[in-house]
């Protein structure tokens, strides 16, 4: 470089320089012979526009001397560290030819192309003639100066072109503030390049402005909302020819992250974390404030949706200038952490991509690498040697708005020149195991930004309708599963599973183990072995999943297979197609999800509306696909999930007829007279009839003219009532699916009509915010004849549907909604009738034998508390965590907004999922909203007392019981109700019906039900009746705490009826000596004495009456204690709260095991009666489980003989022994030992044989010949050896039968044989003889 300067007579100065890129490129890559001509740069500085205007041409002609400048000794030097570094580009923005860098062109054309640069620096000094304005008008003055210079450049275009000047840059220096830049280019016919307004040209090279203009019309926001000269915001309007003329506007923000020279790794890390985040947030603030500018220039709103998200596809470019002492991986992780930390803010301002170029200098691996003796190597401040700089680019893309995808590239030199015969610089993906190459791999650095794709437009359409693009829900499910695994692994960090791994027994076991091993995320945290195997241990009613992956998770958490209608539209078939190629507004997938409780995977059917296709409306094809998918879920017994966002049944008109019909007016000259009918012309009627578009009838007018009157418009399918028929079909299918499998609906967008009914018919619903409607507010306003409703949210928003029980849960966004779906599924068996899912190891993070929190005791005791602490536990007054009855963090509440005097949800005890229902103890408030359609209505708040069932909470209880029964969950009812509210309004609101529904739900319950009255709880009157265990004695058991109470009325109520005032006085006379003495005196003595005694007696009675009232209530209370409940056989046992967790865990395992064995007995012996199976089960347990239970706990079970008459033992010893027995029985039924499993299998096999014998006997009695034919057919399928063996067996049985009867082939023999068969003996005499 060479420069010279001097003061001239024109009142300013000049400075010129020459740069020769030729040497730079040759030294960078000597294999190329590309020519980059020298560029001459002349800078003119002046203080007056008049002087500049008058001397401009003379100055250029006299001072613009590129050849002389080069001859005066320009020194050409190669840049330091330009060679030998992988991925090192010559400049922070890329190599020669990078966007924004003015190039001379290819080899051989340097003499023709403009290459030189003219800079004009105009200094506005105080006191100059131009600057006589106040400071507030400086900006206007600068603009006027720029216009003068622009005119000057236009007048001298020919001169500039002759001097081969390609760019003129005007710098206006103000007395204060940052300079103003204006750029005029030869290629724009010397008009200002507005993109570079107020942008220093070298910085344009660094932030790659040139990549924007190919597919977008760029307009900078000159006076942005945030004045920061280090970043620029550009409004980009997509060109009409970029994507079928779509008018799309977006923001591009280009920023420079400046800094100092880094000292070491720590300094680099701190700089990158702090400065990058600051600039990123400042860019986001600029985007948030720039929407008003877009609205101004476009004339249309760019509004936020109701969740505060800007509906645009914006791009951030953050160029980091300092060189960083970091490795590639460290840099990527820091950048990734910063972007993910600010994920919510980026999504809020509509950013879908963040691009960050940076330069790193990696340290040498001293153990594996030899440090070269090179003078170019770098050392940080600590003396650690680093490699030469490496140019990187990290791109974070988030098109769906829910998951950030990271792609990292190196900037490398291409192996061959590009199409212009110049050196090309390319993106090269940084290899990551198991991850495909990024989309920019192999492309040049100056690759233009592509236009918005069709999928992006559909995503924007979905966001505008306040939902997520239908195909992006798969991303949300994958992200939700990842979150579940992170939560699970965090609880079990650094702990090995204590479950016994199942040993593969089949020949395919090695392959299965290998497959499981390959499905492990190699990048997951943890140091355990990468070999992972999973198996499912089928225990009594529990799927105990044995996961030996330790702190690792499956690499692939979900596999999705899209389903579509076959050609005949009679069934669903698998289809592999790109996203967005659906031809129907309904999309269906079969998902295989690997969850912590089902690591081998569980399947669901996922159905979703596509709001970008016909607004997600239901047509015939949509109804058919929905119905087939629902039936598939029903048939396979797997959960059916529906994500709804629709406009109801599809409506339409026949456009072909609409364009052709005509109107027959009553008076053709006066249309105001009215219409007679519609008709079509003769030329159209035949075509319409052939295509079945319409039906007509001939009408003859009074003047004799013939008209083809339209009597019906038929048209194609899918525009009218046929859609309602399809809606009825899917409504019925959804109702049946609720009965047969697990159904759950997520209201992600507005759901109208049939969409709203499907939400309710599926029962379980999660609502994000968009309303659930039958009729929109516009239609209702028309019916009412006035503007009553202003929004659909008034009709079906969460404030309505969550508070009336239609929506079970509400969420803030789609990700939270999908996470709630995954969480809910974790409590549900993988298939209908399957075992309960138990995540392994279930008891590591919350032991079964820990203490249970009692809110009545401790540092802060209370009798009125949030009853949820009984389930979940809480921190006590000293901040220590105290666990509740169920596992920590396992309680999942539903229907919390409705019927608030009852609480319901799901929880886990020892990892086993259960349903939970309990009362609220505190007074709550129910709000009845005012209806805008009724001018006299007003919002009304109603207080509801705790421990009482009101109509809404009773209905909620019945609904929860019904839901949990169909989910296959055991049920815990923490009973603490004083009764039902029976006032006039409550009776009118059907409290009696809803209370009866509780009984109906319990009668049908199939899983174990435990009713437990908690410490100091009470169960009174009708509340006891509707949950008494005799309602369904096969599955229900009731237990109470030793401090609990149960009875018809509360003690005070009983005393009012059964211990009246007179009886209190009698008790007082019997027990109090003074009252007794006064009473005796009153009976004798004179009249005057009796008066005095009566006054004294009354005084004494009034003094003692409150005390004896308490005595009476206490006496009545003694009738409600647990001892009396147990003595009368009303409860199954007394379980102190401290024992509750351990007892119910063992008891639940036992009941589930018994239920599983009984189910297997029923399957083996379908005609057998349940009492007989229960008897067999009791005998099985008696013969195989040692009985050491010290007392009777359950109704109907006797005290073991070995303990009758034994010395008294403590209650704690009795409870411990009971728990031990339940655990032993559970272990036996779960097949913990091989001998246990064999014992159960033997009983089942014998039952099956007996059933077959009985069945064969019944067949023979019904039709001997048919039975003989069937037996003969069966024998013919056997080998000769088997036939002979069967014959020998039959002959032996016949001989035994005849010997027992004492004769052969007599009626007595037949009767004996039949009687023996009826009691389980051998075959009948007739059957054996016929078979022989």
């Amino acid at each position: 470089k060479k420069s010279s300067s001097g003061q001239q007579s024109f009142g300013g100065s000049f400075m010129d320089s020459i740069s020769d890129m030729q040497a730079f490129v040759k030294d960078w890559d000597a294999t190329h012979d590309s020519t980059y001509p020298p560029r001459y740069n002349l800078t003119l500085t002046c203080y007056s526009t008049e002087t500049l205007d008058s001397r401009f041409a003379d100055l250029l002609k006299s001072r613009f001397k590129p050849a002389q400048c080069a001859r005066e000794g320009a020194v050409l030097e190669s840049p330091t560290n330009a060679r030998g570094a992988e991925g090192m580009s010559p400049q922070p923005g890329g190599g020669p030819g990078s966007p924004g860098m003015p190039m001379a062109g290819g080899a051989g054309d340097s003499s023709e192309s403009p290459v030189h640069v003219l800079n004009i620096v105009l200094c506005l000094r105080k006191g100059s003639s131009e600057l006589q304005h106040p400071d507030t008008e400086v900006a206007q003055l600068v603009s006027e100066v720029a216009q003068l210079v622009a005119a000057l450049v236009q007048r001298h275009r020919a001169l500039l072109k002759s001097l081969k000047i390609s760019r003129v840059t005007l710098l206006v220096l103000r007395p204060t503030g940052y300079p103003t830049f204006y750029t005029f280019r030869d290629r724009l016919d010397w008009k200002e390049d507005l993109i570079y307004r107020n942008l220093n040209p070298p910085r344009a090279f660094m932030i790659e402005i040139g990549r924007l203009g190919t597919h977008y019309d760029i307009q900078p926001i000159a006076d942005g909302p945030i004045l920061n000269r280090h970043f620029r915001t550009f409004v980009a309007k997509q060109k009409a020819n970029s994507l079928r003329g779509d008018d799309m506007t977006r923001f591009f923000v280009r920023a420079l992250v400046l800094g100092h020279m880094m000292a070491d790794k720590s300094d680099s890390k701190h700089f990158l974390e702090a400065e990058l985040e600051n600039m990123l947030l400042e860019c986001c603030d600029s985007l948030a404030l720039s929407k008003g500018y877009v609205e101004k220039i476009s004339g249309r709103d760019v509004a936020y949706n109701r969740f505060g998200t800007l509906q645009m596809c914006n791009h951030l470019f953050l160029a980091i200038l300092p060189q960083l002492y970091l490795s590639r991986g460290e840099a990527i992780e820091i950048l990734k952490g910063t972007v993910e930390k600010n994920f919510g803010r980026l999504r809020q301002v509509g950013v879908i991509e963040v691009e960050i170029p940076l330069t790193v200098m990696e340290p040498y691996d001293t153990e594996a690498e030899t440090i070269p003796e090179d003078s170019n190597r770098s050392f940080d401040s600590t003396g650690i040697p680093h490699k030469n700089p490496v140019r990187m680019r990290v791109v974070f893309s988030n098109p769906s708005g829910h998951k950030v995808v990271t792609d990292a590239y190196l900037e490398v030199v291409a192996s061959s020149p590009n199409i212009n015969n110049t050196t090309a610089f390319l993106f090269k993906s940084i290899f990551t195991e198991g991850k495909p190459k990024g989309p920019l791999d192999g492309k040049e650095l100056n690759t233009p930004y592509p236009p918005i794709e069709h999928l992006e437009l559909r995503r924007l359409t979905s966001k505008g309708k306040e939902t997520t693009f239908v195909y992006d829900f798969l991303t949300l499910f994958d992200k939700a599963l990842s979150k579940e695994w992170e939560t699970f692994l965090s609880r079990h960090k650094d702990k090995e599973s204590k479950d016994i791994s199942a040993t593969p027994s089949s020949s395919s076991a090695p392959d299965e183990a290998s497959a499981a091993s390959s499905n492990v995320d190699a990048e997951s945290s943890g140091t355990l072995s990468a070999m992972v195997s999973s198996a499912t241990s089928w225990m009594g009613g529990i799927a105990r999943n044995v996961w030996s992956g330790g702190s690792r998770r499956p690499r692939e958490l979900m596999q999705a297979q899209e389903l579509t209608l076959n050609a005949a539209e009679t069934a669903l078939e698998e289809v592999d197609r790109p996203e967005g190629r659906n031809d129907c507004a309904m999309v269906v997938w079969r998902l295989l999800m690997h969850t912590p409780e089902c690591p081998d995977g569980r399947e669901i059917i996922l159905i979703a509306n596509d709001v970008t296709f016909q607004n997600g409306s239901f047509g015939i094809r949509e109804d058919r696909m929905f119905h087939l998918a629902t039936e598939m879920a029903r048939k396979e017994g797997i959960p059916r999930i529906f994500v709804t966002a629709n406009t109801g049944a599809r409506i339409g008109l026949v456009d072909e007829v609409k364009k052709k019909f005509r109107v027959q007016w009553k008076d053709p000259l006066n249309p105001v007279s009215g219409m007679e009918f519609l008709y079509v012309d003769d030329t159209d009627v035949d075509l319409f009839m052939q295509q079945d578009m319409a039906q007509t009838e001939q009408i003859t007018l009074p003047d004799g003219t013939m008209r083809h009157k339209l009597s019906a418009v038929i048209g194609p399918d899918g525009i009218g009532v046929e859609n309602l028929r399809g809606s009825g079909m899917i409504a019925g299918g959804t109702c049946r699916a609720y009965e047969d499998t697990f159904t759950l609906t997520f209201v992600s967008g507005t759901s109208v009509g049939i969409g709203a009914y499907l939400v309710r018919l599926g029962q379980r619903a999660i609502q994000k915010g968009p309303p659930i409607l039958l009729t929109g507010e516009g239609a209702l306003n028309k019916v009412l004849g006035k503007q009553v409703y202003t929004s659909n949210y008034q009709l079906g928003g969460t404030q309505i549907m969550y508070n009336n029980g239609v929506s079970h849960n509400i969420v803030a966004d789609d990700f939270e909604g999908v996470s709630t779906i995954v969480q809910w599924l974790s409590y549900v068996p993988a298939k209908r009738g399957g075992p309960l899912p138990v995540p392994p190891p279930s008891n590591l993070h919350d032991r079964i034998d820990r203490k249970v929190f009692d809110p009545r005791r401790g540092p802060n005791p209370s009798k009125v508390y949030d009853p949820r602490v009984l389930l979940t536990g809480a921190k006590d007054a000293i901040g220590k965590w105290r666990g509740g009855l169920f596992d920590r963090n396992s309680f999942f509440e539903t229907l919390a907004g409705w019927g608030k005097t009852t609480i319901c949800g799901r929880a886990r005890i020892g990892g086993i999922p259960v349903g939970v229902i309990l009362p609220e103890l505190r007074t709550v408030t129910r709000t009845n909203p005012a209806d805008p359609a009724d001018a006299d209505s007003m919002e009304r708040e109603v207080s509801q007392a705790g421990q009482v069932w009101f109509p809404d909470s009773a209905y909620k209880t019945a609904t929860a019981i019904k839901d949990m029964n169909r989910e296959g969950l055991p049920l815990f009812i923490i009973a603490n109700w004083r009764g039902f509210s029976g006032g006039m309004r409550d009776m009118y609101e059907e409290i009696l019906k809803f209370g009866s529904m509780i009984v109906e739900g319990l009668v049908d319950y199939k899983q174990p039900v435990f009713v437990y009255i908690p410490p100091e709880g009470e169960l009174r009157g009708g509340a006891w009746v509707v949950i008494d265990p005799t309602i369904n004695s096969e599955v229900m058991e009731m237990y109470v705490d030793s401090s609990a109470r149960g009875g018809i009325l509360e003690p005070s109520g009983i005393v009012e009826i059964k211990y009246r005032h007179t009886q209190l006085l009698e008790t007082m006379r019997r027990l109090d000596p003074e009252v007794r003495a006064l009473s005796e005196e009153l009976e004798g003595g004179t009249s005057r004495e009796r008066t005095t005694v009566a006054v004294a007696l009354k005084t004494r009675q009034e003094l003692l009456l409150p005390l004896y009232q308490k005595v009476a209530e206490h006496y009545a209370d003694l009738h409600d204690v647990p001892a009396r409940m147990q003595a009368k056989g009303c409860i199954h046992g007394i379980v102190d709260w401290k024992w509750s967790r351990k007892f119910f865990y063992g008891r639940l395992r036992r009941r589930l095991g018994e239920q599983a064995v009984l189910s297997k007995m029923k399957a083996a012996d379908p005609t057998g009666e349940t009492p007989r199976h229960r008897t067999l089960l009791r005998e099985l347990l008696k013969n195989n489980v040692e009985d050491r239970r010290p007392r009777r706990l359950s109704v109907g079970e006797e005290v073991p003989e070995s303990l009758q008459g034994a010395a008294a033992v403590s209650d704690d010893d009795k409870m411990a022994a009971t728990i031990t027995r339940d655990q032993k029985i559970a272990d036996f039924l779960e097949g913990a030992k091989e001998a246990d499993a064999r014992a159960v299998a033997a009983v089942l096999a014998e039952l099956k044989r007996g059933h077959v014998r009985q069945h064969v006997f019944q067949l023979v009695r019904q039709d001997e010949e048919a039975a003989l034919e069937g037996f003969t057919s069966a024998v013919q399928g056997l080998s000769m050896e088997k036939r002979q063996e069967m014959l020998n067996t039959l002959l032996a049985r016949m001989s035994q039968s005849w010997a027992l009867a004492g004769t052969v082939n007599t009626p007595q023999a037949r009767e004996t044989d039949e009687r023996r068969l009826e009691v389980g003996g051998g075959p009948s005499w007739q059957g054996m003889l016929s078979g022989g």
Side-chain angles (χ1 to χ4, degrees), residues 1207-1243:
V1209 294
S1210 68
D1211 289 341
D1212 286 350
D1213 291 338
K1214 295 177 183 178
M1215 179 57 65
T1218 301
I1219 292 173
T1220 300
R1221 173 175 169 77
D1222 283 341
Q1223 291 176 347
K1224 285 185 177 181
I1225 293 175
D1227 290 340
F1228 170 77
L1229 296 174
E1230 292 167 1
K1233 299 178 181 179
E1234 186 176 352
D1236 299 340
R1238 286 199 303 267
V1240 175
V1243 173

Side-chain angles (χ1 to χ4, degrees), residues 180-197:
T180 305
F181 293 85
Y182 300 88
T183 301
F184 307 90
R185 296 191 185 279
D186 169 68
R187 59 182 172 83
L188 299 178
D189 197 19
W190 295 109
K191 295 179 182 178
E192 184 187 0
D193 193 342
L194 295 176
I195 295 178
Y196 293 83
R197 171 74 67 86

Side-chain angles (χ1 to χ4, degrees), residues 521-762:
D521 189 351
E523 296 180 357
S524 299
S525 60
T527 59
L528 299 181
S529 171
M531 296 299 294
V532 175
S533 63
S534 62
T536 302
S537 176
W538 294 90
M539 306 190 301
I542 305 173
R544 179 78 69 178
N545 296 290
V546 182
W547 177 247
S548 59
S551 60
R552 296 178 181 269
R553 69 176 190 181
R555 174 179 296 166
E556 193 173 13
L557 297 181
M558 184 185 72
Q559 295 90 43
Q561 177 60 61
E562 187 176 356
L563 305 175
T564 188
L565 291 171
N566 61 8
E569 297 189 353
T570 57
L572 295 180
E573 62 181 7
E574 296 182 355
V575 60
D576 292 321
R577 60 188 179 188
E579 294 181 354
R581 296 295 178 88
N582 55 304
D583 56 354
C584 178
M586 195 73 64
V587 186
V588 178
W589 293 276
R590 178 191 292 273
L591 300 187
L592 177 64
M593 305 189 305
H594 300 275
T595 61
E597 68 278 352
C598 297
D600 282 339
R602 62 178 303 160
E603 287 188 321
I604 67 169
I605 296 297
L606 175 63
I607 310 172
N609 291 120
D610 183 0
V611 293
T612 65
F613 190 101
Q614 296 282 348
N615 286 322
S617 58
F618 289 83
I620 292 179
R621 298 187 75 243
E622 286 78 10
D623 292 336
R624 190 169 292 125
M625 182 176 287
F626 186 97
H627 178 69
L628 291 173
T630 300
E631 290 302 306
M632 178 181 292
R634 283 186 61 207
K635 180 180 178 181
E636 300 181 19
I638 59 179
R640 192 219 68 178
I641 310 300
F642 176 38
V643 180
T644 176
N646 56 75
T647 54
R650 187 171 300 159
I651 58 175
L653 298 173
V654 182
D655 292 335
E656 293 84 353
V657 180
K658 184 173 67 175
K659 296 176 182 178
K660 298 292 185 179
F661 75 80
R662 296 181 180 275
V663 182
Q664 179 63 46
W665 304 103
K666 293 180 179 179
D667 183 357
L669 300 179
N670 184 20
V672 179
S673 62
M675 177 197 74
E676 284 194 14
F677 56 83
L678 303 181
Y679 68 94
V680 293
D681 293 336
D682 296 341
T683 56
D684 300 321
V685 64
D686 292 337
L687 178 63
F688 289 158
M689 296 295 288
Q690 291 174 4
Q691 296 179 351
D692 199 21
M693 288 291 179
Q695 294 179 359
T696 63
E697 57 179 300
Q698 287 190 350
I699 299 293
T700 302
L701 300 180
D703 60 0
T705 305
M706 298 293 295
R707 297 292 192 212
H708 296 282
K709 177 183 175 181
L710 280 173
S711 59
V713 180
I714 308 300
D717 291 338
I719 61 172
V721 68
E722 64 272 22
N723 292 338
L724 296 180
R725 183 178 178 86
S727 297
M729 175 181 66
I730 62 178
T734 300
C735 191
R736 288 187 293 271
Y738 170 74
E739 298 293 335
D740 297 338
T741 189
F742 178 81
T743 57
L744 177 60
T745 304
F746 173 38
V747 185
S748 175
T750 301
S751 296
V752 184
I754 180 59
Y757 277 111
L758 292 177
V759 173
R760 178 55 188 163
L761 291 172

